[in-house]
Amino acid sequence: MELVVARIGRAHGIKGEVSVEVRTDEPEARLAPGSVLATDPPGAGPLTIESGRVHSGRLLLRFVGVHDRTAAEALRNTLLLADVDPDESPDDPEEFYDHQLVGLTVVTADGSEVGTIGEIAHLPAQDLLVVAREGGGEAFLPFVAEFVPEIDLDRRRVVISPPPGLLDED
């Protein structure tokens, strides 16, 4: 199974480096020199990481065969994908891969069914659970412990404690 681990941003400098938006909690393993990553769109890759460094709080990568700004800029907005065993879980028990959460039933603390997780939206400030509602439509729930106190992968359900008004239909 392929997981998105980063999105390529702007070119940095003239020697082929790019900034990346990291989308993994394991960048040192997934984005290490020598890593070969598939891409979306597929025609941009696969890409092999030649080197990486942090500059002004941003991760910069250089890929084998990408040696100038023009080639680097052509990769902008390309997603980097790592091949991961579908049964693999993150080391931290409080972390989850998107594919583990999509399709789980969402219920409130009192047991009322809300819907199912359709996707996880990775936004700059925080992640959101996009919940397909039982009666149609979607609800967006910040993926934080205060609002999502329990995730039970074995029972395939997520218990939520939404703030007042979040699930109101009106």
Side-chain angles (χ1 to χ4, degrees):
M1 162 174 282
E2 291 182 331
L3 296 178
V4 175
V5 294
R7 184 185 65 81
I8 297 176
R10 298 184 328 214
H12 179 84
I14 61 170
K15 296 184 179 180
E17 283 185 309
V18 295
S19 63
V20 295
E21 174 189 313
V22 177
R23 293 191 182 172
T24 177
D25 291 329
E26 302 166 326
E28 55 285 331
R30 306 266 187 229
L31 301 172
S35 296
V36 179
L37 302 168
T39 60
D40 182 8
L47 295 171
T48 302
I49 297 175
E50 184 174 294
S51 64
R53 66 187 177 102
V54 176
H55 175 72
S56 297
R58 295 212 48 139
L59 179 61
L60 301 178
L61 296 178
R62 183 182 321 229
F63 300 102
V64 172
V66 178
H67 298 292
D68 61 33
R69 185 175 185 86
T70 302
E73 194 61 40
L75 295 172
R76 191 173 192 166
N77 293 321
T78 298
L79 297 177
L80 299 175
L81 311 169
D83 194 28
V84 176
D85 181 342
D87 295 329
E88 181 181 329
S89 291
D91 292 334
D92 185 341
E94 297 293 317
E95 294 175 6
F96 302 92
Y97 292 132
D98 290 4
H99 72 273
Q100 293 175 298
L101 301 174
V102 171
L104 296 185
T105 300
V106 177
V107 298
T108 59
D110 68 6
S112 301
E113 194 163 321
V114 176
T116 59
I117 297 176
E119 68 177 291
I120 299 13
H122 299 282
L123 304 177
Q126 67 191 26
D127 295 339
L128 292 177
L129 297 179
V130 180
V131 180
R133 300 291 304 264
E134 284 295 305
E138 294 177 324
F140 301 93
L141 183 70
F143 192 14
V144 295
E146 179 181 356
F147 302 141
V148 187
E150 181 184 340
I151 297 173
D152 188 338
L153 295 178
D154 293 331
R155 292 178 61 195
R156 304 219 18 93
R157 73 180 204 144
V158 175
V159 176
I160 64 170
S161 179
L166 185 76
L167 298 179
D168 292 346
E169 298 291 329
D170 299 330

